[in-house]
Amino acid sequence: MTFSICVREEYTDDDGDRHTRFGVAVTTRLPGVGTLCPFASENGAVATQSLVNVDLGRKGIEYIDDGLAVEDALEALLHADDGAEQRQLHGVDADGTFTFSGEECQGWFGHVSGENYTVAGNLLTGEAVVDAVANAYESDAFGDAPLAERLVDALEAGHEEGGDKREELPVQSAALKVRTTEDREFDPYYDDLRVDATETPVADLRETYEEAKRGQEIVLEQYDEDSDDGDDSDDSDDGDADESGAGEGGENGAGAE
């Protein structure tokens, strides 16, 4: 009923420190896919689909966060799942990848994986869908654009290749999540997005991403302006500034926060 991609990327931050980011993106011809399929943390990313068992994703991330390798974590969950042959489950952690498609998934179904990503889908128009998703990601892996944007690009490639074959189902959805080991002041607004019910899920997810990115730029610009105003206020105080002047500077700082 869906196709999805999980990604791991190492990168260097502005201070020269090495970090790892994880991302997952998914779309389907049903509403609310973001509540069921994609899971991510600073330690990995997991997607659960086909006949969805949400616990596979939720517990999978919990196990990875506890230090279990992605392969061990997801295999253990599948072994305990009586409906495993109807599931698709895949993901990445800091060191490896894992893919599984049960024999009772509905066709076309299958998966592909690379050194730092996995792609899976079922009820698709054909194998070309997952190949298109993988190729789109590989073509700009570790690129300059935010990972969230490149995940949307990958979903778009799969959608254009045919995507979910159930054309009789008009209400669709899409979602993405990105997490990182970097200790940031705040996470970008566009790193956790959902489009829950629409006939154009990937296009709407891209529009949501663009608006979230624009909103963040506006907020950061306002934050910088408020900070500059606070600095100007401090500079205008002379050596005889009293406690009330210092108090005003403190209030400006709190407001900017």
Side-chain angles (χ1 to χ4, degrees):
M1 71 174 189
T2 186
F3 61 92
S4 57
I5 178 171
C6 294
V7 169
R8 172 189 68 247
E9 292 184 346
E10 294 184 0
Y11 68 98
T12 302
D13 67 13
D14 293 338
D15 295 325
D17 297 324
R18 295 291 290 172
H19 295 284
T20 306
R21 56 184 167 229
F22 298 94
V24 54
V26 57
T27 185
T28 188
R29 281 187 177 271
L30 291 173
V33 71
T35 68
L36 300 173
C37 296
F39 296 85
S41 75
E42 67 274 13
N43 299 303
V46 173
T48 174
Q49 55 198 53
S50 190
L51 185 61
V52 174
N53 181 347
V54 176
D55 280 344
L56 297 180
R58 184 184 298 116
K59 291 182 179 179
I61 283 294
E62 290 177 359
Y63 288 177
I64 292 169
D65 287 344
D66 287 340
L68 207 59
V70 63
E71 181 176 2
D72 295 336
L74 300 188
E75 280 189 347
L77 289 168
L78 287 168
H79 287 159
D81 182 4
D82 292 337
E85 290 307 316
Q86 297 174 292
R87 319 290 190 202
Q88 273 192 317
L89 184 64
H90 65 108
V92 298
D93 67 1
D95 299 311
T97 64
F98 177 83
T99 53
F100 173 81
S101 296
E103 293 182 358
E104 296 178 19
C105 294
Q106 298 187 47
W108 186 92
F109 71 86
H111 55 258
V112 297
S113 62
E115 182 178 355
N116 65 305
Y117 71 88
T118 57
V119 180
N122 64 92
L123 279 169
L124 303 181
T125 57
E127 184 177 3
V129 176
V130 294
D131 287 341
V133 175
N135 291 338
Y137 170 71
E138 283 191 342
S139 70
D140 199 20
F142 304 91
D144 293 334
L147 177 55
E149 180 178 339
R150 292 182 283 117
L151 289 173
V152 177
D153 292 342
L155 290 184
E156 184 176 57
H159 186 73
E160 291 179 350
E161 195 61 44
D164 190 317
K165 69 181 182 181
R166 296 169 297 172
E167 295 183 356
E168 73 278 8
L169 299 179
V171 182
Q172 305 171 54
S173 58
L176 68 83
K177 295 177 183 288
V178 176
R179 299 290 186 268
T180 178
T181 57
E182 183 179 354
D183 185 15
R184 300 180 292 192
E185 185 174 359
F186 63 89
D187 292 325
Y189 299 151
Y190 50 74
D191 273 357
D192 192 344
L193 300 176
R194 284 170 41 186
V195 176
D196 282 341
T198 178
E199 294 191 12
T200 53
V202 178
D204 288 359
L205 187 64
R206 183 177 299 280
E207 182 177 357
T208 302
Y209 164 80
E210 294 291 349
E211 286 300 295
K213 185 178 179 182
R214 184 171 73 95
Q216 177 170 303
E217 291 169 352
I218 293 171
V219 169
L220 290 177
E221 182 178 350
Q222 184 64 54
Y223 181 89
D224 289 341
E225 290 177 357
D226 289 346
S227 297
D228 290 342
D229 289 343
D231 292 342
D232 291 343
S233 175
D234 291 341
D235 291 343
S236 66
D237 294 337
D238 57 25
D240 296 326
D242 59 18
E243 293 181 359
S244 63
E248 290 172 359
E251 290 175 359
N252 285 338
E257 189 68 28

